[in-house]
Short mmCIF file of all heavy atoms in Angstrom, two decimals:
data_model
loop_
_atom_site.label_atom_id
_atom_site.label_comp_id
_atom_site.label_asym_id
_atom_site.label_seq_id
_atom_site.Cartn_x
_atom_site.Cartn_y
_atom_site.Cartn_z
N MET A 1 -3.88 -10.73 -7.68
CA MET A 1 -2.65 -10.49 -7.19
C MET A 1 -2.06 -9.24 -7.72
O MET A 1 -2.15 -8.98 -9.01
CB MET A 1 -1.58 -11.67 -7.43
CG MET A 1 -0.58 -11.75 -6.43
SD MET A 1 -0.21 -13.56 -5.93
CE MET A 1 0.83 -13.89 -7.34
N VAL A 2 -1.56 -8.36 -6.93
CA VAL A 2 -1.13 -7.02 -7.36
C VAL A 2 0.40 -6.81 -6.98
O VAL A 2 0.76 -7.07 -5.92
CB VAL A 2 -2.00 -5.96 -6.70
CG1 VAL A 2 -1.48 -4.53 -6.93
CG2 VAL A 2 -3.42 -6.03 -7.09
N THR A 3 1.05 -6.36 -7.99
CA THR A 3 2.54 -6.04 -7.71
C THR A 3 2.67 -4.52 -7.33
O THR A 3 2.14 -3.70 -8.02
CB THR A 3 3.38 -6.21 -9.00
OG1 THR A 3 3.16 -7.71 -9.30
CG2 THR A 3 4.82 -6.04 -8.59
N CYS A 4 3.29 -4.27 -6.23
CA CYS A 4 3.44 -2.95 -5.69
C CYS A 4 4.59 -2.22 -6.31
O CYS A 4 5.49 -2.95 -6.78
CB CYS A 4 3.56 -3.00 -4.14
SG CYS A 4 2.25 -3.74 -3.35
N PRO A 5 4.74 -1.00 -6.18
CA PRO A 5 5.82 -0.18 -6.68
C PRO A 5 7.14 -0.69 -5.84
O PRO A 5 6.93 -1.14 -4.74
CB PRO A 5 5.56 1.26 -6.47
CG PRO A 5 4.06 1.29 -6.16
CD PRO A 5 3.71 -0.03 -5.64
N PRO A 6 8.32 -0.44 -6.40
CA PRO A 6 9.51 -0.79 -5.51
C PRO A 6 9.52 0.05 -4.28
O PRO A 6 9.26 1.28 -4.33
CB PRO A 6 10.64 -0.57 -6.49
CG PRO A 6 10.23 0.07 -7.69
CD PRO A 6 8.68 0.07 -7.64
N CYS A 7 9.95 -0.60 -3.13
CA CYS A 7 10.12 0.21 -1.93
C CYS A 7 11.25 1.16 -2.08
O CYS A 7 12.26 0.78 -2.66
CB CYS A 7 10.45 -0.84 -0.81
SG CYS A 7 10.85 -0.06 0.72
N ARG A 8 11.07 2.41 -1.52
CA ARG A 8 12.03 3.43 -1.82
C ARG A 8 13.28 3.22 -0.88
O ARG A 8 14.27 3.78 -1.16
CB ARG A 8 11.48 4.76 -1.65
CG ARG A 8 11.38 5.30 -0.30
CD ARG A 8 10.76 6.67 -0.18
NE ARG A 8 9.32 6.56 -0.07
CZ ARG A 8 8.51 7.46 0.63
NH1 ARG A 8 9.11 8.48 1.03
NH2 ARG A 8 7.19 7.30 0.76
N PHE A 9 13.06 2.41 0.00
CA PHE A 9 14.18 2.16 0.98
C PHE A 9 15.06 0.89 0.69
O PHE A 9 16.30 0.99 0.58
CB PHE A 9 13.62 2.05 2.47
CG PHE A 9 12.98 3.23 2.89
CD1 PHE A 9 11.60 3.31 3.19
CD2 PHE A 9 13.58 4.45 2.97
CE1 PHE A 9 10.91 4.35 3.52
CE2 PHE A 9 12.89 5.63 3.44
CZ PHE A 9 11.60 5.64 3.64
N CYS A 10 14.38 -0.20 0.43
CA CYS A 10 15.15 -1.44 0.10
C CYS A 10 15.08 -1.86 -1.31
O CYS A 10 15.83 -2.64 -1.83
CB CYS A 10 14.56 -2.62 1.06
SG CYS A 10 13.03 -3.32 0.54
N GLY A 11 14.19 -1.23 -2.18
CA GLY A 11 14.07 -1.51 -3.48
C GLY A 11 13.37 -2.68 -3.88
O GLY A 11 13.20 -3.03 -5.13
N ASN A 12 12.87 -3.45 -2.92
CA ASN A 12 12.10 -4.68 -3.30
C ASN A 12 10.68 -4.36 -3.56
O ASN A 12 10.04 -3.54 -2.88
CB ASN A 12 12.16 -5.67 -2.14
CG ASN A 12 13.63 -6.24 -1.96
OD1 ASN A 12 14.33 -6.46 -2.94
ND2 ASN A 12 14.04 -6.41 -0.72
N GLN A 13 10.09 -5.08 -4.48
CA GLN A 13 8.68 -4.98 -4.76
C GLN A 13 7.95 -6.12 -3.94
O GLN A 13 8.37 -7.22 -3.87
CB GLN A 13 8.39 -5.19 -6.29
CG GLN A 13 8.83 -3.99 -7.16
CD GLN A 13 8.53 -4.18 -8.50
OE1 GLN A 13 9.07 -5.15 -9.18
NE2 GLN A 13 7.65 -3.50 -9.10
N SER A 14 6.81 -5.67 -3.44
CA SER A 14 5.90 -6.67 -2.71
C SER A 14 4.75 -7.02 -3.68
O SER A 14 4.44 -6.32 -4.61
CB SER A 14 5.40 -6.05 -1.55
OG SER A 14 6.45 -5.71 -0.61
N VAL A 15 4.26 -8.19 -3.35
CA VAL A 15 2.96 -8.57 -4.03
C VAL A 15 1.99 -8.82 -3.11
O VAL A 15 2.12 -9.41 -2.09
CB VAL A 15 3.34 -9.98 -4.83
CG1 VAL A 15 1.98 -10.43 -5.40
CG2 VAL A 15 4.31 -9.67 -5.98
N LEU A 16 0.84 -8.22 -3.31
CA LEU A 16 -0.29 -8.37 -2.40
C LEU A 16 -1.30 -9.26 -3.06
O LEU A 16 -1.66 -9.16 -4.20
CB LEU A 16 -1.09 -6.95 -2.17
CG LEU A 16 -0.41 -6.08 -1.16
CD1 LEU A 16 -1.39 -4.86 -1.08
CD2 LEU A 16 -0.27 -6.74 0.17
N ASP A 17 -1.72 -10.27 -2.18
CA ASP A 17 -2.58 -11.30 -2.55
C ASP A 17 -4.05 -10.91 -2.07
O ASP A 17 -4.07 -10.22 -0.98
CB ASP A 17 -2.18 -12.67 -2.00
CG ASP A 17 -2.51 -13.68 -2.97
OD1 ASP A 17 -3.32 -13.49 -4.06
OD2 ASP A 17 -2.08 -14.93 -2.77
N GLY A 18 -5.00 -11.33 -2.79
CA GLY A 18 -6.41 -11.17 -2.29
C GLY A 18 -6.85 -9.75 -2.34
O GLY A 18 -7.81 -9.37 -1.65
N VAL A 19 -6.29 -8.90 -3.24
CA VAL A 19 -6.85 -7.52 -3.40
C VAL A 19 -7.98 -7.56 -4.18
O VAL A 19 -8.04 -8.28 -5.24
CB VAL A 19 -5.71 -6.62 -4.05
CG1 VAL A 19 -6.28 -5.22 -4.29
CG2 VAL A 19 -4.50 -6.50 -3.04
N ASP A 20 -9.07 -6.91 -3.76
CA ASP A 20 -10.31 -6.89 -4.53
C ASP A 20 -10.05 -6.19 -5.88
O ASP A 20 -9.77 -5.09 -5.98
CB ASP A 20 -11.38 -6.13 -3.75
CG ASP A 20 -12.69 -6.03 -4.52
OD1 ASP A 20 -13.33 -7.03 -4.58
OD2 ASP A 20 -13.12 -4.91 -4.90
N ALA A 21 -10.41 -6.99 -6.95
CA ALA A 21 -10.03 -6.52 -8.27
C ALA A 21 -10.84 -5.27 -8.71
O ALA A 21 -10.27 -4.34 -9.21
CB ALA A 21 -10.34 -7.63 -9.28
N LEU A 22 -12.11 -5.29 -8.33
CA LEU A 22 -12.87 -4.14 -8.60
C LEU A 22 -12.49 -2.87 -7.92
O LEU A 22 -12.35 -1.79 -8.48
CB LEU A 22 -14.43 -4.39 -8.42
CG LEU A 22 -15.36 -3.23 -8.71
CD1 LEU A 22 -15.32 -2.88 -10.23
CD2 LEU A 22 -16.79 -3.61 -8.38
N GLY A 23 -12.30 -3.07 -6.64
CA GLY A 23 -11.83 -1.94 -5.82
C GLY A 23 -10.45 -1.39 -6.24
O GLY A 23 -10.20 -0.19 -6.29
N TYR A 24 -9.53 -2.35 -6.63
CA TYR A 24 -8.32 -1.89 -7.10
C TYR A 24 -8.38 -1.08 -8.42
O TYR A 24 -7.79 -0.09 -8.53
CB TYR A 24 -7.41 -3.10 -7.44
CG TYR A 24 -6.00 -2.83 -8.03
CD1 TYR A 24 -5.09 -2.29 -7.13
CD2 TYR A 24 -5.72 -2.87 -9.27
CE1 TYR A 24 -3.80 -1.97 -7.57
CE2 TYR A 24 -4.48 -2.61 -9.86
CZ TYR A 24 -3.51 -2.17 -8.95
OH TYR A 24 -2.35 -1.76 -9.44
N LEU A 25 -9.30 -1.51 -9.37
CA LEU A 25 -9.55 -0.75 -10.57
C LEU A 25 -10.11 0.53 -10.30
O LEU A 25 -9.74 1.59 -10.83
CB LEU A 25 -10.64 -1.56 -11.44
CG LEU A 25 -10.54 -1.22 -12.93
CD1 LEU A 25 -9.37 -1.78 -13.53
CD2 LEU A 25 -11.83 -1.85 -13.50
N GLU A 26 -11.03 0.65 -9.31
CA GLU A 26 -11.69 1.90 -8.93
C GLU A 26 -10.64 2.90 -8.43
O GLU A 26 -10.60 4.15 -8.69
CB GLU A 26 -12.68 1.74 -7.91
CG GLU A 26 -13.99 1.15 -8.50
CD GLU A 26 -15.08 0.88 -7.44
OE1 GLU A 26 -14.70 0.66 -6.25
OE2 GLU A 26 -16.29 0.92 -7.79
N TRP A 27 -9.71 2.44 -7.63
CA TRP A 27 -8.69 3.19 -7.08
C TRP A 27 -7.60 3.61 -8.13
O TRP A 27 -7.30 4.78 -8.29
CB TRP A 27 -7.95 2.50 -5.91
CG TRP A 27 -6.65 3.16 -5.52
CD1 TRP A 27 -6.54 4.46 -4.97
CD2 TRP A 27 -5.31 2.69 -5.73
NE1 TRP A 27 -5.18 4.76 -4.74
CE2 TRP A 27 -4.50 3.75 -5.25
CE3 TRP A 27 -4.85 1.54 -6.24
CZ2 TRP A 27 -3.08 3.57 -5.24
CZ3 TRP A 27 -3.43 1.36 -6.20
CH2 TRP A 27 -2.64 2.29 -5.82
N SER A 28 -7.12 2.58 -8.90
CA SER A 28 -5.96 2.87 -9.77
C SER A 28 -6.45 3.63 -11.03
O SER A 28 -5.57 4.36 -11.57
CB SER A 28 -5.32 1.59 -10.14
OG SER A 28 -6.20 0.73 -10.87
N THR A 29 -7.58 3.38 -11.50
CA THR A 29 -7.95 4.09 -12.80
C THR A 29 -9.11 5.11 -12.63
O THR A 29 -9.12 5.93 -13.54
CB THR A 29 -8.32 3.05 -13.90
OG1 THR A 29 -9.55 2.39 -13.46
CG2 THR A 29 -7.24 1.95 -14.02
N LEU A 30 -9.80 4.96 -11.61
CA LEU A 30 -10.95 5.91 -11.57
C LEU A 30 -10.77 6.90 -10.47
O LEU A 30 -11.50 7.88 -10.32
CB LEU A 30 -12.21 5.16 -11.23
CG LEU A 30 -12.71 4.07 -12.33
CD1 LEU A 30 -13.91 3.33 -11.86
CD2 LEU A 30 -12.89 4.73 -13.60
N GLY A 31 -9.69 6.86 -9.71
CA GLY A 31 -9.24 7.81 -8.82
C GLY A 31 -9.99 7.86 -7.44
O GLY A 31 -10.12 8.86 -6.79
N LYS A 32 -10.64 6.77 -7.15
CA LYS A 32 -11.43 6.61 -5.85
C LYS A 32 -10.45 6.65 -4.81
O LYS A 32 -9.26 6.12 -4.86
CB LYS A 32 -12.24 5.38 -5.96
CG LYS A 32 -13.23 5.30 -4.85
CD LYS A 32 -14.27 4.10 -5.18
CE LYS A 32 -15.23 3.89 -3.94
NZ LYS A 32 -16.14 2.75 -4.29
N GLU A 33 -10.79 7.16 -3.63
CA GLU A 33 -9.97 7.09 -2.38
C GLU A 33 -9.69 5.72 -2.09
O GLU A 33 -10.68 4.77 -2.00
CB GLU A 33 -10.81 7.73 -1.24
CG GLU A 33 -11.01 9.21 -1.37
CD GLU A 33 -9.83 10.07 -0.96
OE1 GLU A 33 -9.08 9.63 -0.23
OE2 GLU A 33 -9.74 11.20 -1.50
N ILE A 34 -8.42 5.35 -1.78
CA ILE A 34 -8.03 3.94 -1.63
C ILE A 34 -8.83 3.37 -0.37
O ILE A 34 -9.14 2.19 -0.45
CB ILE A 34 -6.57 3.83 -1.58
CG1 ILE A 34 -6.12 2.35 -1.65
CG2 ILE A 34 -5.91 4.39 -0.24
CD1 ILE A 34 -4.72 2.09 -1.96
N GLN A 35 -9.02 4.16 0.68
CA GLN A 35 -9.68 3.61 1.84
C GLN A 35 -11.08 3.22 1.60
O GLN A 35 -11.75 2.41 2.21
CB GLN A 35 -9.46 4.54 3.13
CG GLN A 35 -10.10 5.84 2.96
CD GLN A 35 -9.06 6.81 2.52
OE1 GLN A 35 -8.19 6.58 1.61
NE2 GLN A 35 -9.07 8.00 3.02
N ASN A 36 -11.72 3.90 0.55
CA ASN A 36 -13.07 3.64 0.14
C ASN A 36 -13.15 2.48 -0.86
O ASN A 36 -14.06 1.72 -0.82
CB ASN A 36 -13.69 4.84 -0.38
CG ASN A 36 -13.89 5.96 0.66
OD1 ASN A 36 -14.06 5.65 1.79
ND2 ASN A 36 -13.79 7.18 0.23
N ALA A 37 -12.10 2.43 -1.77
CA ALA A 37 -12.13 1.48 -2.72
C ALA A 37 -11.69 0.09 -2.20
O ALA A 37 -12.20 -0.89 -2.67
CB ALA A 37 -11.21 1.86 -3.93
N LEU A 38 -10.80 0.17 -1.28
CA LEU A 38 -10.16 -1.11 -0.74
C LEU A 38 -10.30 -1.08 0.77
O LEU A 38 -9.13 -1.19 1.45
CB LEU A 38 -8.78 -1.35 -1.20
CG LEU A 38 -8.69 -1.50 -2.81
CD1 LEU A 38 -7.29 -1.36 -3.20
CD2 LEU A 38 -9.17 -2.85 -3.20
N PRO A 39 -11.50 -1.04 1.33
CA PRO A 39 -11.58 -0.92 2.74
C PRO A 39 -11.06 -2.18 3.56
O PRO A 39 -10.75 -2.00 4.76
CB PRO A 39 -13.04 -0.82 3.07
CG PRO A 39 -13.71 -1.38 1.95
CD PRO A 39 -12.74 -1.17 0.77
N GLN A 40 -10.92 -3.29 2.85
CA GLN A 40 -10.43 -4.55 3.53
C GLN A 40 -8.98 -4.55 3.77
O GLN A 40 -8.53 -5.40 4.57
CB GLN A 40 -10.92 -5.81 2.75
CG GLN A 40 -10.25 -5.92 1.47
CD GLN A 40 -10.86 -5.23 0.21
OE1 GLN A 40 -11.35 -4.18 0.44
NE2 GLN A 40 -10.91 -5.81 -0.88
N LEU A 41 -8.28 -3.63 3.24
CA LEU A 41 -6.85 -3.55 3.39
C LEU A 41 -6.46 -2.76 4.62
O LEU A 41 -7.17 -1.86 4.95
CB LEU A 41 -6.07 -2.90 2.15
CG LEU A 41 -6.24 -3.60 0.76
CD1 LEU A 41 -5.48 -2.82 -0.27
CD2 LEU A 41 -5.88 -5.03 0.81
N ASP A 42 -5.41 -3.23 5.28
CA ASP A 42 -5.01 -2.43 6.38
C ASP A 42 -4.07 -1.30 6.00
O ASP A 42 -3.65 -1.21 4.81
CB ASP A 42 -4.42 -3.22 7.55
CG ASP A 42 -3.10 -3.85 7.23
OD1 ASP A 42 -2.34 -3.26 6.39
OD2 ASP A 42 -2.80 -4.94 7.74
N ALA A 43 -3.72 -0.39 6.89
CA ALA A 43 -3.00 0.82 6.56
C ALA A 43 -1.66 0.45 5.86
O ALA A 43 -1.20 1.16 4.87
CB ALA A 43 -2.79 1.65 7.81
N ASP A 44 -0.96 -0.66 6.37
CA ASP A 44 0.30 -0.91 5.82
C ASP A 44 0.14 -1.45 4.41
O ASP A 44 0.93 -1.12 3.53
CB ASP A 44 1.01 -2.10 6.72
CG ASP A 44 1.43 -1.47 8.01
OD1 ASP A 44 1.45 -0.27 8.20
OD2 ASP A 44 1.72 -2.26 8.95
N GLN A 45 -0.89 -2.23 4.10
CA GLN A 45 -1.12 -2.78 2.77
C GLN A 45 -1.51 -1.59 1.87
O GLN A 45 -0.99 -1.61 0.72
CB GLN A 45 -2.20 -3.81 2.84
CG GLN A 45 -1.88 -5.07 3.60
CD GLN A 45 -3.07 -5.96 3.74
OE1 GLN A 45 -4.08 -5.52 4.14
NE2 GLN A 45 -2.90 -7.31 3.40
N ARG A 46 -2.19 -0.64 2.24
CA ARG A 46 -2.56 0.52 1.40
C ARG A 46 -1.24 1.29 1.16
O ARG A 46 -1.06 1.77 -0.04
CB ARG A 46 -3.55 1.37 2.17
CG ARG A 46 -4.92 0.69 2.18
CD ARG A 46 -6.13 1.88 2.38
NE ARG A 46 -6.16 2.22 3.87
CZ ARG A 46 -6.92 1.79 4.58
NH1 ARG A 46 -7.86 0.84 4.36
NH2 ARG A 46 -6.89 2.15 5.87
N GLU A 47 -0.38 1.51 2.03
CA GLU A 47 0.82 2.22 1.84
C GLU A 47 1.63 1.40 0.86
O GLU A 47 2.32 2.09 0.06
CB GLU A 47 1.62 2.31 3.15
CG GLU A 47 2.82 3.19 3.06
CD GLU A 47 2.55 4.59 2.68
OE1 GLU A 47 1.47 5.10 2.96
OE2 GLU A 47 3.39 5.22 1.91
N LEU A 48 1.66 0.15 0.95
CA LEU A 48 2.39 -0.73 -0.04
C LEU A 48 1.88 -0.47 -1.41
O LEU A 48 2.78 -0.35 -2.39
CB LEU A 48 2.24 -2.20 0.34
CG LEU A 48 3.27 -2.87 1.20
CD1 LEU A 48 2.86 -4.35 1.40
CD2 LEU A 48 4.67 -2.79 0.69
N LEU A 49 0.57 -0.44 -1.60
CA LEU A 49 0.04 -0.23 -2.96
C LEU A 49 0.37 1.25 -3.49
O LEU A 49 0.62 1.37 -4.66
CB LEU A 49 -1.59 -0.42 -2.93
CG LEU A 49 -2.05 -1.82 -3.14
CD1 LEU A 49 -3.55 -1.75 -3.05
CD2 LEU A 49 -1.59 -2.42 -4.46
N ILE A 50 0.29 2.21 -2.56
CA ILE A 50 0.39 3.50 -3.01
C ILE A 50 1.90 3.85 -3.38
O ILE A 50 2.20 4.44 -4.34
CB ILE A 50 -0.03 4.55 -1.87
CG1 ILE A 50 -1.56 4.35 -1.77
CG2 ILE A 50 0.34 5.97 -2.23
CD1 ILE A 50 -2.01 4.97 -0.46
N SER A 51 2.81 3.49 -2.50
CA SER A 51 4.25 3.96 -2.57
C SER A 51 5.11 2.73 -2.63
O SER A 51 6.35 2.87 -2.90
CB SER A 51 4.53 4.85 -1.42
OG SER A 51 4.58 4.15 -0.17
N GLY A 52 4.73 1.54 -2.24
CA GLY A 52 5.64 0.38 -2.20
C GLY A 52 6.42 0.35 -0.96
O GLY A 52 7.18 -0.58 -0.74
N THR A 53 6.31 1.39 -0.12
CA THR A 53 7.07 1.40 1.16
C THR A 53 6.69 0.29 2.21
O THR A 53 5.54 0.20 2.51
CB THR A 53 7.01 2.80 1.77
OG1 THR A 53 7.33 3.70 0.85
CG2 THR A 53 7.86 2.92 3.08
N HIS A 54 7.65 -0.45 2.67
CA HIS A 54 7.37 -1.43 3.57
C HIS A 54 7.20 -0.80 4.98
O HIS A 54 8.04 0.07 5.36
CB HIS A 54 8.41 -2.49 3.69
CG HIS A 54 8.64 -3.22 2.37
ND1 HIS A 54 9.83 -3.19 1.71
CD2 HIS A 54 7.82 -3.96 1.69
CE1 HIS A 54 9.71 -3.96 0.63
NE2 HIS A 54 8.48 -4.45 0.55
N ALA A 55 6.27 -1.29 5.84
CA ALA A 55 6.18 -0.68 7.13
C ALA A 55 7.41 -0.95 7.94
O ALA A 55 7.86 -0.11 8.63
CB ALA A 55 5.01 -1.38 7.83
N HIS A 56 8.09 -2.12 7.60
CA HIS A 56 9.32 -2.36 8.49
C HIS A 56 10.43 -1.57 8.09
O HIS A 56 11.34 -1.26 8.89
CB HIS A 56 9.61 -3.95 8.47
CG HIS A 56 9.87 -4.50 7.09
ND1 HIS A 56 8.85 -5.08 6.46
CD2 HIS A 56 10.87 -4.47 6.36
CE1 HIS A 56 9.34 -5.51 5.27
NE2 HIS A 56 10.54 -5.14 5.16
N CYS A 57 10.50 -1.11 6.79
CA CYS A 57 11.54 -0.38 6.38
C CYS A 57 11.41 1.04 6.87
O CYS A 57 12.36 1.71 7.26
CB CYS A 57 11.71 -0.29 4.72
SG CYS A 57 12.18 -1.81 4.01
N TRP A 58 10.23 1.56 6.78
CA TRP A 58 9.92 2.76 7.38
C TRP A 58 10.21 2.93 8.83
O TRP A 58 10.87 3.82 9.35
CB TRP A 58 8.42 3.08 7.12
CG TRP A 58 8.01 4.52 7.57
CD1 TRP A 58 7.57 4.85 8.86
CD2 TRP A 58 8.01 5.68 6.85
NE1 TRP A 58 7.27 6.27 8.83
CE2 TRP A 58 7.54 6.78 7.61
CE3 TRP A 58 8.27 6.02 5.40
CZ2 TRP A 58 7.47 8.11 7.21
CZ3 TRP A 58 8.12 7.33 5.07
CH2 TRP A 58 7.80 8.26 5.81
N ALA A 59 9.81 1.90 9.58
CA ALA A 59 10.00 1.86 11.07
C ALA A 59 11.61 1.83 11.37
O ALA A 59 12.01 2.33 12.32
CB ALA A 59 9.31 0.62 11.66
N ALA A 60 12.34 1.04 10.45
CA ALA A 60 13.80 0.95 10.72
C ALA A 60 14.47 2.24 10.60
O ALA A 60 15.36 2.54 11.27
CB ALA A 60 14.35 -0.03 9.69
N LEU A 61 13.92 3.15 9.66
CA LEU A 61 14.54 4.42 9.56
C LEU A 61 14.05 5.61 10.52
O LEU A 61 14.75 6.39 10.92
CB LEU A 61 14.31 4.97 8.00
CG LEU A 61 15.26 4.35 7.01
CD1 LEU A 61 14.82 4.74 5.65
CD2 LEU A 61 16.71 4.77 7.24
N PHE A 62 12.76 5.44 10.65
CA PHE A 62 12.07 6.64 11.35
C PHE A 62 11.49 6.23 12.70
O PHE A 62 10.95 7.03 13.45
CB PHE A 62 10.99 7.20 10.53
CG PHE A 62 11.49 7.83 9.23
CD1 PHE A 62 11.16 7.14 7.99
CD2 PHE A 62 12.30 8.89 9.22
CE1 PHE A 62 11.73 7.69 6.79
CE2 PHE A 62 12.81 9.43 8.00
CZ PHE A 62 12.47 8.78 6.88
N GLY A 63 11.63 4.87 13.05
CA GLY A 63 11.10 4.49 14.37
C GLY A 63 9.61 4.20 14.09
O GLY A 63 9.08 4.50 13.07
N PRO A 64 8.97 3.49 15.04
CA PRO A 64 7.56 3.12 15.06
C PRO A 64 6.69 4.36 14.98
O PRO A 64 7.01 5.33 15.50
CB PRO A 64 7.30 2.44 16.34
CG PRO A 64 8.67 2.09 16.96
CD PRO A 64 9.66 3.04 16.44
N GLU A 65 5.70 4.14 14.16
CA GLU A 65 4.76 5.27 14.00
C GLU A 65 4.10 5.58 15.37
O GLU A 65 3.60 4.57 16.04
CB GLU A 65 3.64 4.91 12.92
CG GLU A 65 4.04 5.24 11.60
CD GLU A 65 2.88 4.89 10.52
OE1 GLU A 65 1.91 5.74 10.60
OE2 GLU A 65 3.03 4.01 9.84
N GLU A 66 3.76 6.75 15.53
CA GLU A 66 3.08 7.17 16.80
C GLU A 66 1.78 7.64 16.38
O GLU A 66 1.61 8.40 15.51
CB GLU A 66 3.99 8.24 17.52
CG GLU A 66 5.16 7.69 18.17
CD GLU A 66 5.98 8.91 18.86
OE1 GLU A 66 5.34 9.78 19.32
OE2 GLU A 66 7.26 8.86 18.71
N GLU A 67 0.83 7.15 17.12
CA GLU A 67 -0.56 7.52 16.93
C GLU A 67 -0.81 8.95 17.53
O GLU A 67 -0.48 9.30 18.41
CB GLU A 67 -1.56 6.51 17.58
CG GLU A 67 -1.44 5.18 17.01
CD GLU A 67 -1.94 5.10 15.60
OE1 GLU A 67 -2.86 5.90 15.18
OE2 GLU A 67 -1.32 4.42 14.68
ZN1 ZN B 1 11.41 -2.14 1.80
#
């Protein structure tokens, strides 16, 4: 279980369950690209780990992401 940084919009911290421990270590301490270290996470979960920003907080301020 990994605690994410506080969301810059709402200030709440999220906890991600089921994060691969080795992949997390490789990303957080060895500087591996997060999408390579933790490929099982989706983009929203990776954003949570990196910045703590919730997808729904971001969408509330800036609108849905456009591809
Ligand atoms: Zn938030």
